[in-house]
Amino acid sequence: MISTVFFDLDDTLHNTTRLARLARNAAVHAMIDQGLPLTPEGGCKKLVEIVRRKGSNYPGHFDLLVEETIGEKNYRLIAAGIIGYHNTKFANMHPYSDTVSTLIELKKMGMEVNIISNGRSLKQWEKILRLGLESFFTHVLISETVGYSKPDRKMFETALSIAHCDASDAVFVDDRVEYISGARECGMHTICMDKHRREPHDAPCDFIVHSLSEIPPLIRVL
Amino acid sequence: MISTVFFDLDDTLHNTTRLARLARNAAVHAMIDQGLPLTPEGGCKKLVEIVRRKGSNYPGHFDLLVEETIGEKNYRLIAAGIIGYHNTKFANMHPYSDTVSTLIELKKMGMEVNIISNGRSLKQWEKILRLGLESFFTHVLISETVGYSKPDRKMFETALSIAHCDASDAVFVDDRVEYISGARECGMHTICMDKHRREPHDAPCDFIVHSLSEIPPLIRVL
Protein backbone atom coordinates (compact mmCIF):
# COMPACT_ATOMS: atom_id res chain seq x y z
CA MET A 1 0.00 0.00 0.00
CA ILE A 2 1.34 3.40 -0.94
CA SER A 3 2.62 5.27 2.11
CA THR A 4 4.97 7.91 0.67
CA VAL A 5 4.99 10.26 -2.30
CA PHE A 6 8.31 11.76 -3.39
CA PHE A 7 8.00 14.93 -5.47
CA ASP A 8 10.49 16.74 -7.63
CA LEU A 9 10.39 20.50 -6.92
CA ASP A 10 11.19 22.60 -10.03
CA ASP A 11 8.51 22.59 -12.75
CA THR A 12 6.65 19.90 -10.79
CA LEU A 13 5.35 21.93 -7.81
CA HIS A 14 5.95 25.40 -9.28
CA ASN A 15 6.80 26.88 -12.65
CA THR A 16 10.58 27.45 -12.45
CA THR A 17 11.09 27.68 -16.20
CA ARG A 18 8.53 30.47 -16.65
CA LEU A 19 9.89 32.23 -13.55
CA ALA A 20 13.48 32.16 -14.85
CA ARG A 21 12.33 33.52 -18.21
CA LEU A 22 10.37 36.36 -16.56
CA ALA A 23 13.27 37.21 -14.25
CA ARG A 24 15.91 37.13 -16.99
CA ASN A 25 13.73 39.33 -19.16
CA ALA A 26 13.31 41.85 -16.32
CA ALA A 27 17.07 41.77 -15.66
CA VAL A 28 17.90 42.54 -19.29
CA HIS A 29 15.37 45.41 -19.39
CA ALA A 30 16.78 46.86 -16.15
CA MET A 31 20.32 46.68 -17.54
CA ILE A 32 19.25 48.35 -20.80
CA ASP A 33 17.51 51.09 -18.76
CA GLN A 34 20.88 51.72 -17.08
CA GLY A 35 22.72 51.89 -20.39
CA LEU A 36 23.54 48.38 -21.63
CA PRO A 37 23.69 48.83 -25.43
CA LEU A 38 21.52 45.86 -26.47
CA THR A 39 17.95 45.32 -27.63
CA PRO A 40 15.69 43.40 -25.22
CA GLU A 41 15.58 40.48 -27.68
CA GLY A 42 19.35 40.52 -28.26
CA GLY A 43 20.05 40.82 -24.53
CA CYS A 44 17.76 37.93 -23.60
CA LYS A 45 19.23 35.72 -26.33
CA LYS A 46 22.77 36.49 -25.17
CA LEU A 47 21.88 35.89 -21.52
CA VAL A 48 20.23 32.54 -22.30
CA GLU A 49 23.35 31.56 -24.25
CA ILE A 50 25.58 32.48 -21.27
CA VAL A 51 23.36 30.51 -18.85
CA ARG A 52 23.59 27.50 -21.17
CA ARG A 53 27.37 27.86 -21.52
CA LYS A 54 28.16 28.39 -17.81
CA GLY A 55 25.33 26.39 -16.18
CA SER A 56 22.42 27.77 -14.15
CA ASN A 57 24.32 27.83 -10.84
CA TYR A 58 27.26 29.94 -12.12
CA PRO A 59 27.21 33.14 -10.06
CA GLY A 60 28.39 35.61 -12.76
CA HIS A 61 25.84 35.51 -15.61
CA PHE A 62 25.26 39.27 -15.56
CA ASP A 63 28.97 40.04 -15.15
CA LEU A 64 29.66 38.08 -18.34
CA LEU A 65 26.75 39.66 -20.23
CA VAL A 66 28.17 43.11 -19.43
CA GLU A 67 31.81 42.20 -20.12
CA GLU A 68 31.03 40.48 -23.41
CA THR A 69 28.86 43.42 -24.51
CA ILE A 70 30.88 46.50 -23.56
CA GLY A 71 34.30 44.92 -23.03
CA GLU A 72 34.62 45.77 -19.33
CA LYS A 73 33.07 45.24 -15.89
CA ASN A 74 30.40 47.80 -14.97
CA TYR A 75 28.91 47.34 -11.51
CA ARG A 76 26.03 49.74 -12.12
CA LEU A 77 24.80 47.54 -14.98
CA ILE A 78 25.45 44.28 -13.12
CA ALA A 79 23.65 45.54 -10.00
CA ALA A 80 20.69 46.67 -12.13
CA GLY A 81 20.45 43.17 -13.59
CA ILE A 82 20.55 41.50 -10.19
CA ILE A 83 17.87 43.81 -8.77
CA GLY A 84 15.59 43.30 -11.79
CA TYR A 85 16.09 39.53 -11.61
CA HIS A 86 15.47 39.13 -7.89
CA ASN A 87 12.54 41.54 -7.66
CA THR A 88 10.77 39.73 -10.48
CA LYS A 89 11.61 36.26 -9.21
CA PHE A 90 10.46 36.85 -5.65
CA ALA A 91 7.33 38.73 -6.73
CA ASN A 92 6.23 35.91 -9.03
CA MET A 93 7.25 32.79 -7.12
CA HIS A 94 4.17 30.78 -6.20
CA PRO A 95 3.11 27.14 -6.34
CA TYR A 96 0.94 25.87 -9.23
CA SER A 97 -2.73 26.53 -8.50
CA ASP A 98 -3.31 22.86 -7.63
CA THR A 99 -0.08 22.21 -5.68
CA VAL A 100 -1.32 23.02 -2.19
CA SER A 101 -4.73 21.34 -2.62
CA THR A 102 -3.01 18.20 -3.94
CA LEU A 103 -0.56 18.10 -1.02
CA ILE A 104 -3.46 18.57 1.43
CA GLU A 105 -5.39 15.75 -0.25
CA LEU A 106 -2.37 13.41 0.00
CA LYS A 107 -1.92 14.31 3.69
CA LYS A 108 -5.62 13.57 4.29
CA MET A 109 -5.03 10.15 2.69
CA GLY A 110 -2.31 9.56 5.32
CA MET A 111 0.59 9.88 2.91
CA GLU A 112 4.06 11.10 3.87
CA VAL A 113 5.20 13.68 1.32
CA ASN A 114 8.89 14.30 0.55
CA ILE A 115 11.07 16.18 -1.95
CA ILE A 116 13.80 14.73 -4.19
CA SER A 117 15.45 17.60 -6.08
CA ASN A 118 18.67 18.16 -8.00
CA GLY A 119 20.35 21.46 -7.18
CA ARG A 120 22.09 23.49 -4.53
CA SER A 121 20.77 23.01 -1.01
CA LEU A 122 20.45 26.66 -0.05
CA LYS A 123 18.83 27.65 -3.35
CA GLN A 124 16.29 24.82 -3.23
CA TRP A 125 15.42 25.47 0.43
CA GLU A 126 14.98 29.14 -0.34
CA LYS A 127 12.43 28.20 -3.02
CA ILE A 128 10.55 25.81 -0.71
CA LEU A 129 10.28 28.49 1.98
CA ARG A 130 9.34 31.29 -0.45
CA LEU A 131 6.68 28.98 -1.92
CA GLY A 132 5.40 28.44 1.64
CA LEU A 133 5.43 24.64 1.21
CA GLU A 134 7.93 23.65 3.92
CA SER A 135 5.39 22.31 6.43
CA PHE A 136 4.13 19.60 4.06
CA PHE A 137 7.39 17.71 3.74
CA THR A 138 8.88 15.22 6.17
CA HIS A 139 12.16 14.87 4.25
CA VAL A 140 13.76 17.18 1.70
CA LEU A 141 16.58 15.51 -0.25
CA ILE A 142 18.71 17.81 -2.38
CA SER A 143 21.48 16.41 -4.55
CA GLU A 144 24.19 18.74 -3.21
CA THR A 145 23.59 17.47 0.34
CA VAL A 146 22.83 13.83 -0.53
CA GLY A 147 25.90 13.43 -2.77
CA TYR A 148 23.93 11.81 -5.62
CA SER A 149 21.78 13.31 -8.37
CA LYS A 150 18.71 12.06 -10.23
CA PRO A 151 18.53 9.81 -12.21
CA ASP A 152 21.25 7.91 -10.25
CA ARG A 153 19.35 5.13 -8.45
CA LYS A 154 21.51 5.77 -5.35
CA MET A 155 19.59 9.05 -4.96
CA PHE A 156 16.32 7.09 -4.76
CA GLU A 157 17.78 4.33 -2.54
CA THR A 158 18.96 7.04 -0.13
CA ALA A 159 15.51 8.63 -0.17
CA LEU A 160 13.76 5.31 0.53
CA SER A 161 16.19 4.54 3.32
CA ILE A 162 15.76 7.94 5.01
CA ALA A 163 11.97 7.65 4.72
CA HIS A 164 12.04 4.01 5.99
CA CYS A 165 9.91 3.08 3.02
CA ASP A 166 9.85 0.03 0.72
CA ALA A 167 10.12 0.94 -2.95
CA SER A 168 6.79 -0.78 -3.67
CA ASP A 169 5.08 1.56 -1.16
CA ALA A 170 6.54 4.68 -2.77
CA VAL A 171 5.52 6.92 -5.65
CA PHE A 172 7.94 9.30 -7.42
CA VAL A 173 6.59 12.29 -9.37
CA ASP A 174 8.78 14.35 -11.73
CA ASP A 175 8.15 16.51 -14.79
CA ARG A 176 11.26 15.11 -16.48
CA VAL A 177 10.80 11.55 -17.63
CA GLU A 178 14.58 11.12 -17.91
CA TYR A 179 14.88 11.46 -14.13
CA ILE A 180 12.40 8.68 -13.52
CA SER A 181 14.60 5.76 -14.65
CA GLY A 182 16.49 5.46 -11.34
CA ALA A 183 13.22 5.36 -9.41
CA ARG A 184 11.90 2.62 -11.73
CA GLU A 185 15.11 0.60 -11.28
CA CYS A 186 14.50 0.71 -7.52
CA GLY A 187 10.97 -0.55 -7.95
CA MET A 188 9.12 2.67 -7.08
CA HIS A 189 5.84 3.60 -8.78
CA THR A 190 6.51 6.49 -11.14
CA ILE A 191 4.40 9.37 -12.43
CA CYS A 192 5.44 11.89 -15.05
CA MET A 193 3.83 15.30 -14.43
CA ASP A 194 3.62 16.29 -18.10
CA LYS A 195 1.88 19.66 -17.80
CA HIS A 196 2.66 20.66 -21.37
CA ARG A 197 1.77 17.29 -22.96
CA ARG A 198 5.23 16.84 -24.44
CA GLU A 199 5.80 13.19 -23.55
CA PRO A 200 4.76 10.32 -25.85
CA HIS A 201 2.10 7.93 -24.49
CA ASP A 202 4.69 5.15 -24.16
CA ALA A 203 7.13 7.27 -22.11
CA PRO A 204 9.12 5.10 -19.65
CA CYS A 205 7.03 5.70 -16.52
CA ASP A 206 3.98 4.03 -14.98
CA PHE A 207 1.61 6.97 -15.45
CA ILE A 208 1.49 10.31 -17.18
CA VAL A 209 -0.65 13.06 -15.64
CA HIS A 210 -1.23 16.59 -16.92
CA SER A 211 -1.93 18.22 -13.58
CA LEU A 212 -1.07 17.46 -9.95
CA SER A 213 -4.75 17.08 -9.04
CA GLU A 214 -4.85 13.81 -11.02
CA ILE A 215 -2.37 12.23 -8.60
CA PRO A 216 -4.47 11.52 -5.44
CA PRO A 217 -7.18 9.52 -7.32
CA LEU A 218 -4.42 7.61 -9.12
CA ILE A 219 -2.69 6.70 -5.85
CA ARG A 220 -6.01 5.57 -4.31
CA VAL A 221 -6.26 2.73 -6.84
CA LEU A 222 -2.59 1.64 -6.67
CA MET B 1 34.46 78.51 -5.98
CA ILE B 2 32.94 75.20 -5.01
CA SER B 3 32.12 73.09 -8.06
CA THR B 4 31.89 69.55 -6.72
CA VAL B 5 30.44 67.84 -3.66
CA PHE B 6 31.64 64.35 -2.80
CA PHE B 7 29.29 62.38 -0.55
CA ASP B 8 29.81 59.24 1.46
CA LEU B 9 26.89 56.79 0.93
CA ASP B 10 26.16 54.70 4.04
CA ASP B 11 24.62 56.58 6.98
CA THR B 12 25.19 59.82 5.07
CA LEU B 13 22.55 59.53 2.31
CA HIS B 14 20.50 56.70 3.86
CA ASN B 15 20.29 54.94 7.20
CA THR B 16 22.39 51.78 6.72
CA THR B 17 22.89 51.11 10.41
CA ARG B 18 19.17 51.10 11.19
CA LEU B 19 18.49 49.02 8.08
CA ALA B 20 21.06 46.37 9.04
CA ARG B 21 19.58 46.16 12.54
CA LEU B 22 16.03 45.76 11.19
CA ALA B 23 17.14 43.14 8.66
CA ARG B 24 19.21 41.14 11.16
CA ASN B 25 16.32 41.19 13.60
CA ALA B 26 13.93 39.92 10.90
CA ALA B 27 16.44 37.23 9.90
CA VAL B 28 16.75 35.95 13.48
CA HIS B 29 12.96 35.88 13.93
CA ALA B 30 12.54 33.99 10.62
CA MET B 31 15.15 31.44 11.68
CA ILE B 32 13.51 30.99 15.09
CA ASP B 33 10.14 30.49 13.33
CA GLN B 34 11.77 27.65 11.37
CA GLY B 35 13.18 26.04 14.50
CA LEU B 36 16.44 27.75 15.53
CA PRO B 37 16.54 27.18 19.32
CA LEU B 38 17.38 30.74 20.45
CA THR B 39 15.48 33.70 21.89
CA PRO B 40 15.17 36.76 19.61
CA GLU B 41 17.48 38.70 21.97
CA GLY B 42 20.03 35.87 22.22
CA GLY B 43 19.94 35.29 18.45
CA CYS B 44 20.46 38.97 17.60
CA LYS B 45 23.31 39.26 20.11
CA LYS B 46 25.00 36.18 18.68
CA LEU B 47 24.54 37.38 15.08
CA VAL B 48 25.98 40.82 15.86
CA GLU B 49 28.96 39.10 17.48
CA ILE B 50 29.49 36.95 14.35
CA VAL B 51 29.24 40.01 12.07
CA ARG B 52 31.84 41.76 14.25
CA ARG B 53 34.13 38.72 14.26
CA LYS B 54 33.93 37.94 10.51
CA GLY B 55 33.34 41.44 9.05
CA SER B 56 30.20 42.73 7.38
CA ASN B 57 31.11 41.42 3.91
CA TYR B 58 31.65 37.79 5.01
CA PRO B 59 29.07 35.76 3.07
CA GLY B 60 28.29 33.11 5.75
CA HIS B 61 26.92 34.95 8.83
CA PHE B 62 23.75 32.85 8.98
CA ASP B 63 25.62 29.61 8.27
CA LEU B 64 27.83 30.29 11.29
CA LEU B 65 24.88 31.29 13.49
CA VAL B 66 23.21 27.96 12.72
CA GLU B 67 26.36 25.85 13.05
CA GLU B 68 27.43 27.46 16.32
CA THR B 69 23.89 27.05 17.73
CA ILE B 70 22.89 23.51 16.71
CA GLY B 71 26.30 22.07 15.82
CA GLU B 72 25.53 21.41 12.15
CA LYS B 73 24.57 23.04 8.84
CA ASN B 74 20.82 23.33 8.26
CA TYR B 75 19.86 24.87 4.94
CA ARG B 76 16.22 25.35 5.91
CA LEU B 77 17.28 27.63 8.77
CA ILE B 78 19.95 29.43 6.74
CA ALA B 79 17.54 30.04 3.83
CA ALA B 80 14.91 31.37 6.26
CA GLY B 81 17.47 33.85 7.61
CA ILE B 82 18.46 35.03 4.15
CA ILE B 83 14.83 35.52 3.07
CA GLY B 84 13.97 37.44 6.25
CA TYR B 85 17.07 39.59 5.89
CA HIS B 86 16.61 40.46 2.22
CA ASN B 87 12.85 41.02 2.34
CA THR B 88 13.27 43.44 5.24
CA LYS B 89 16.28 45.20 3.76
CA PHE B 90 14.74 45.80 0.35
CA ALA B 91 11.35 46.81 1.77
CA ASN B 92 12.93 49.41 4.04
CA MET B 93 15.72 50.84 1.92
CA HIS B 94 15.07 54.50 1.19
CA PRO B 95 17.07 57.75 1.29
CA TYR B 96 16.81 60.09 4.29
CA SER B 97 13.80 62.39 3.92
CA ASP B 98 16.06 65.32 2.92
CA THR B 99 18.53 63.44 0.69
CA VAL B 100 16.77 63.94 -2.66
CA SER B 101 15.79 67.57 -2.00
CA THR B 102 19.39 68.37 -0.97
CA LEU B 103 20.83 66.72 -4.09
CA ILE B 104 18.31 68.64 -6.26
CA GLU B 105 19.28 71.90 -4.55
CA LEU B 106 22.98 71.25 -5.17
CA LYS B 107 22.29 70.47 -8.84
CA LYS B 108 20.30 73.70 -9.16
CA MET B 109 23.37 75.49 -7.76
CA GLY B 110 25.39 73.97 -10.64
CA MET B 111 27.30 71.53 -8.47
CA GLU B 112 28.62 68.18 -9.68
CA VAL B 113 27.71 65.51 -7.13
CA ASN B 114 29.79 62.34 -6.66
CA ILE B 115 30.09 59.39 -4.27
CA ILE B 116 33.18 58.26 -2.35
CA SER B 117 32.34 55.06 -0.48
CA ASN B 118 34.24 52.23 1.17
CA GLY B 119 32.87 48.80 0.37
CA ARG B 120 32.27 46.23 -2.34
CA SER B 121 31.44 47.68 -5.75
CA LEU B 122 28.45 45.51 -6.53
CA LYS B 123 26.91 45.88 -3.07
CA GLN B 124 27.30 49.68 -3.09
CA TRP B 125 25.91 50.02 -6.61
CA GLU B 126 22.98 47.84 -5.65
CA LYS B 127 22.22 50.27 -2.80
CA ILE B 128 22.52 53.35 -5.03
CA LEU B 129 20.12 51.85 -7.58
CA ARG B 130 17.65 50.57 -4.96
CA LEU B 131 17.71 54.04 -3.36
CA GLY B 132 16.92 55.48 -6.81
CA LEU B 133 19.78 57.99 -6.55
CA GLU B 134 21.94 56.91 -9.52
CA SER B 135 21.00 59.77 -11.84
CA PHE B 136 22.37 62.44 -9.50
CA PHE B 137 25.99 61.27 -9.55
CA THR B 138 28.60 61.93 -12.21
CA HIS B 139 31.23 59.69 -10.59
CA VAL B 140 30.83 56.85 -8.10
CA LEU B 141 34.12 55.83 -6.47
CA ILE B 142 34.03 52.64 -4.44
CA SER B 143 37.10 51.44 -2.57
CA GLU B 144 37.07 47.92 -4.05
CA THR B 145 37.28 49.34 -7.58
CA VAL B 146 39.55 52.32 -6.81
CA GLY B 147 42.09 50.25 -4.86
CA TYR B 148 42.26 52.69 -1.92
CA SER B 149 39.95 53.16 1.07
CA LYS B 150 38.97 56.20 3.12
CA PRO B 151 40.70 57.79 5.01
CA ASP B 152 43.74 57.13 2.75
CA ARG B 153 44.39 60.47 0.99
CA LYS B 154 45.06 58.56 -2.25
CA MET B 155 41.33 57.78 -2.32
CA PHE B 156 40.59 61.52 -2.34
CA GLU B 157 43.37 62.36 -4.79
CA THR B 158 41.94 59.77 -7.18
CA ALA B 159 38.47 61.24 -6.77
CA LEU B 160 39.69 64.79 -7.46
CA SER B 161 41.63 63.61 -10.49
CA ILE B 162 38.67 61.69 -11.97
CA ALA B 163 36.40 64.69 -11.38
CA HIS B 164 39.01 67.13 -12.80
CA CYS B 165 38.54 69.23 -9.71
CA ASP B 166 40.95 71.23 -7.55
CA ALA B 167 40.81 70.32 -3.86
CA SER B 168 39.91 73.90 -2.95
CA ASP B 169 36.81 73.68 -5.18
CA ALA B 170 35.64 70.43 -3.56
CA VAL B 171 33.57 69.56 -0.51
CA PHE B 172 33.58 66.13 1.14
CA VAL B 173 30.65 65.04 3.32
CA ASP B 174 30.80 61.97 5.58
CA ASP B 175 29.04 60.86 8.77
CA ARG B 176 32.32 59.44 10.11
CA VAL B 177 34.74 62.13 11.16
CA GLU B 178 37.62 59.62 11.09
CA TYR B 179 37.21 59.30 7.30
CA ILE B 180 37.57 63.03 6.81
CA SER B 181 41.31 63.34 7.60
CA GLY B 182 42.48 62.25 4.12
CA ALA B 183 40.20 64.81 2.49
CA ARG B 184 41.56 67.56 4.79
CA GLU B 185 45.14 66.55 3.99
CA CYS B 186 44.31 67.04 0.29
CA GLY B 187 42.92 70.50 0.98
CA MET B 188 39.24 69.72 0.41
CA HIS B 189 36.52 71.46 2.44
CA THR B 190 35.04 68.94 4.85
CA ILE B 191 31.63 68.52 6.45
CA CYS B 192 30.69 65.96 9.08
CA MET B 193 27.02 64.90 8.75
CA ASP B 194 26.50 64.25 12.46
CA LYS B 195 22.80 63.28 12.45
CA HIS B 196 22.91 61.88 15.98
CA ARG B 197 24.96 64.75 17.48
CA ARG B 198 27.72 62.45 18.66
CA GLU B 199 30.74 64.52 17.58
CA PRO B 200 32.36 67.15 19.81
CA HIS B 201 32.23 70.77 18.59
CA ASP B 202 35.97 70.71 17.93
CA ALA B 203 35.87 67.56 15.76
CA PRO B 204 38.57 67.65 13.04
CA CYS B 205 36.45 68.91 10.14
CA ASP B 206 35.51 72.34 8.79
CA PHE B 207 31.81 72.10 9.59
CA ILE B 208 29.41 69.87 11.47
CA VAL B 209 25.81 69.66 10.22
CA HIS B 210 22.93 67.70 11.71
CA SER B 211 20.95 67.21 8.52
CA LEU B 212 21.76 67.23 4.80
CA SER B 213 19.50 70.23 4.19
CA GLU B 214 22.04 72.43 6.03
CA ILE B 215 24.65 71.75 3.34
CA PRO B 216 23.48 73.89 0.33
CA PRO B 217 23.34 77.16 2.34
CA LEU B 218 26.75 76.36 3.82
CA ILE B 219 28.27 75.80 0.37
CA ARG B 220 26.75 79.07 -0.92
CA VAL B 221 28.93 81.05 1.50
CA LEU B 222 32.15 79.09 0.97
Side-chain angles (χ1 to χ4, degrees), chain B residues 100-112:
Chain B
V100 173
S101 56
T102 300
L103 294 174
I104 291 172
E105 192 57 31
L106 292 171
K107 293 300 240 187
K108 280 168 62 184
M109 289 162 62
M111 298 289 130
E112 178 175 301

Side-chain angles (χ1 to χ4, degrees), chain B residues 10 57 117-124 142-145 149:
Chain B
D10 294 327
N57 286 322
S117 169
N118 283 358
R120 298 187 60 186
S121 308
L122 190 61
K123 224 171 149 178
Q124 298 309 86
I142 300 165
S143 60
E144 185 191 36
T145 310
S149 298

